[in-house]
Amino acid sequence: MLNKTLVPQSVAREIQAMIQAGQLKAGEKIPSQREFSHKFGVSRASLREALLTLETLGLLKTEAGRGTFVAAASDGALGQAAHMAPWRYSESYSVFDVFQTRILLEGEIARLSAGRLSQVQLEKMEKATKTMEDCWASQDLLANVDADLDFHGTIVSACSNTMLKALYQTVRDQITETQRQPIPITDPERMRQSIAEHRRIIAALKANDGHLARSEMEAHIRNTARCAGLQP
């Protein structure tokens, strides 16, 4: 039974599992949206959201006039596409603008969260970081990004400024996309660096050092942007 509150994510996981199991093979055209939505018992809107997520992660690729295909394993060192998917929010904000906003917003949120995170929350962030590491090794890209979202979301939840928390929620979809967007061109070394950056952020928060937490968060987001070819 699919989790009805997270239908697109659940469908995306099912399709990722089909790709990993070889039920959908590299270079193969996926079934029509009608067929897939019927198979999973979901709306086409939920299915389209799932397909967009998988395309952003480099597991699928859409070719104009031809359809959507499983990305060929030879496209990248880790079986991922060697390029990033089109930025889906281009009509409202550029990916550069979103990264720039993240630096300002999440940097300040990290500063204000220092000294406010419980031991349970800090342990949750450590677990999320380890999950990121393990899921990257097994190429469970959806779970890797979900753990990344949990990490950042935990910090936001401890922020003392309720307006900043509300602002974060307002742009959360765009922020989430910047966490998925660089995945197809992320090499193992960059993922190791990203995980190390998470651990430095945790250490700063544990030490109740708000200024260091802000600095580490800003550096982390800038490095992620650089992975996407940007210099915000």
Side-chain angles (χ1 to χ4, degrees):
M1 176 66 69
L2 295 176
N3 183 333
K4 297 301 181 184
T5 62
L6 298 169
V7 173
Q9 295 94 320
S10 297
V11 173
R13 288 189 190 101
E14 293 274 354
I15 298 171
Q16 178 184 251
M18 292 172 71
I19 293 170
Q20 290 179 326
Q23 294 171 262
L24 291 171
K25 295 179 173 56
E28 180 181 340
K29 185 175 181 179
I30 68 170
S32 68
Q33 289 191 12
R34 179 181 178 183
E35 185 179 339
F36 246 4
S37 59
H38 179 73
K39 172 183 174 62
F40 294 115
V42 299
S43 69
R44 290 201 192 184
S46 291
L47 176 65
R48 280 193 294 271
E49 181 65 26
L51 296 178
L52 279 169
T53 295
L54 292 170
E55 186 170 0
T56 301
L57 292 174
L59 294 170
L60 299 177
K61 60 180 179 179
T62 298
E63 298 182 10
R66 294 192 64 216
T68 302
F69 298 80
V70 178
S74 60
D75 284 349
L78 298 171
Q80 301 163 320
H83 63 277
M84 292 189 297
W87 175 246
R88 62 191 290 190
Y89 296 105
S90 57
E91 291 184 5
S92 51
Y93 309 106
S94 71
V95 63
F96 181 90
D97 287 352
V98 178
F99 269 118
Q100 202 168 58
T101 301
R102 282 191 65 190
I103 291 167
L104 293 168
L105 184 59
E106 291 192 67
E108 184 64 7
I109 285 172
R111 184 182 75 82
L112 295 174
S113 296
R116 293 179 56 87
L117 286 146
S118 68
Q119 185 60 34
V120 170
Q121 287 173 310
L122 289 166
E123 288 172 0
K124 181 181 179 183
M125 289 167 63
E126 288 169 347
K127 183 178 178 182
T129 301
K130 183 65 167 65
T131 298
M132 276 185 71
E133 192 170 36
D134 293 344
C135 290
W136 180 260
S138 66
Q139 283 296 280
D140 184 348
L141 302 183
L142 285 163
N144 171 275
V145 173
D146 283 348
D148 191 21
L149 296 172
D150 284 346
F151 175 91
H152 288 268
T154 301
I155 298 172
V156 174
S157 71
C159 179
S160 60
N161 187 312
T162 56
M163 191 171 194
L164 285 180
K165 288 165 74 171
L167 284 171
Y168 180 90
Q169 294 303 325
T170 300
V171 294
R172 187 173 181 181
D173 288 348
Q174 290 82 5
I175 287 174
T176 295
E177 196 69 0
T178 64
Q179 289 170 267
R180 293 180 180 137
Q181 190 83 2
I183 289 291
I185 59 171
T186 298
D187 62 27
E189 179 55 33
R190 171 56 203 152
M191 183 55 65
R192 281 192 288 272
Q193 291 169 0
S194 183
I195 288 164
E197 288 160 9
H198 273 208
R199 290 181 171 136
R200 286 199 293 273
I201 292 167
I202 293 170
L205 292 168
K206 269 187 175 179
N208 298 338
D209 190 333
H211 292 290
L212 181 59
R214 177 177 189 161
S215 175
E216 294 288 5
M217 179 62 79
E218 289 176 349
H220 172 56
I221 296 169
R222 280 198 172 89
N223 288 337
T224 302
R226 288 189 187 105
C227 181
L230 301 169
Q231 298 281 344

